[in-house]
Amino acid sequence: MSTLVTLPKNGTVVRPNLNSWIDDWFGRDISSMFNTNFNSGITLPAVNIRETGEAYFVEMAVPGLKKTDFNISIDNNVLSISTELEEKNEEQNETYTRREFGYSSFKRSFTLPETVEDHKIEGKYHDGILSIHLPKKDEAKQKPARTIKIS
């Protein structure tokens, strides 16, 4: 983070270096600024995707949620994972009332390969990890190596 105004020990104000401030501002990772929910500091959850010969696996770290908080859907070969949470807190005392509320949401979407058996997709949520199992169609599964005899 850059300093806009520097106050030397003698108390005089030094003008900020505007060029340096502009370079600092535009040199930031702007995409990360827009991935952050400013109300709660929650960022877009990171996703791990791995492939085996039999299936694809999607894992997302989203602690603090319940399995009922997720909306997982498939539309036109696009897998979408989303959640919307609203939190309200009200505290009353004889002399004051305090209300706090927060809202957070995210949505991640992934285009599925044609090789996914979409009616067999399963999901589970355990210990803050959302796991989705995307089995491959039989014709897409990796076949074991075989030896061909020459006659």
Side-chain angles (χ1 to χ4, degrees):
M1 179 179 237
S2 63
T3 303
L4 294 179
V5 177
T6 304
L7 293 176
K9 292 182 181 178
N10 65 7
T12 60
V13 176
V14 176
R15 294 188 184 267
N17 182 342
L18 189 57
N19 289 335
S20 173
W21 182 80
I22 290 172
D23 289 344
D24 286 349
W25 172 257
F26 288 106
R28 291 182 186 173
D29 183 10
I30 293 178
S31 65
S32 70
M33 293 169 49
F34 292 107
N35 284 340
T36 302
N37 180 328
F38 294 105
N39 288 335
S40 63
I42 296 174
T43 59
L44 195 60
V47 174
N48 293 330
I49 300 174
R50 65 184 171 91
E51 178 183 7
T52 66
E54 305 291 316
Y56 299 95
F57 297 91
V58 176
E59 296 175 325
M60 181 181 294
V62 280
L65 301 177
K66 300 180 296 268
K67 66 181 179 181
T68 56
D69 292 334
F70 296 101
N71 180 22
I72 302 172
S73 63
I74 297 177
D75 186 22
N76 278 340
N77 247 18
V78 175
L79 173 70
S80 295
I81 305 166
S82 63
T83 186
E84 291 183 18
L85 297 173
E86 186 175 354
E87 184 179 334
K88 293 181 180 180
N89 184 10
E90 185 173 336
E91 187 178 308
Q92 292 187 351
N93 192 329
E94 291 178 14
T95 59
Y96 69 94
T97 299
R98 183 183 81 178
R99 288 184 174 173
E100 293 184 12
F101 64 94
Y103 179 82
S104 62
S105 68
F106 72 82
K107 182 174 184 177
R108 298 288 311 256
S109 296
F110 308 93
T111 301
L112 298 178
E114 295 289 331
T115 58
V116 170
E117 192 82 56
D118 63 351
H119 65 279
K120 292 185 179 179
I121 295 174
E122 297 177 347
K124 70 177 184 176
Y125 182 68
H126 182 70
D127 289 340
I129 304 293
L130 176 66
S131 301
I132 301 174
H133 176 246
L134 305 145
K136 291 182 179 179
K137 295 178 181 175
D138 286 336
E139 61 267 17
K141 291 181 181 175
Q142 188 174 10
K143 309 284 191 265
R146 64 183 184 102
T147 303
I148 299 172
K149 292 186 179 187
I150 302 173
S151 54

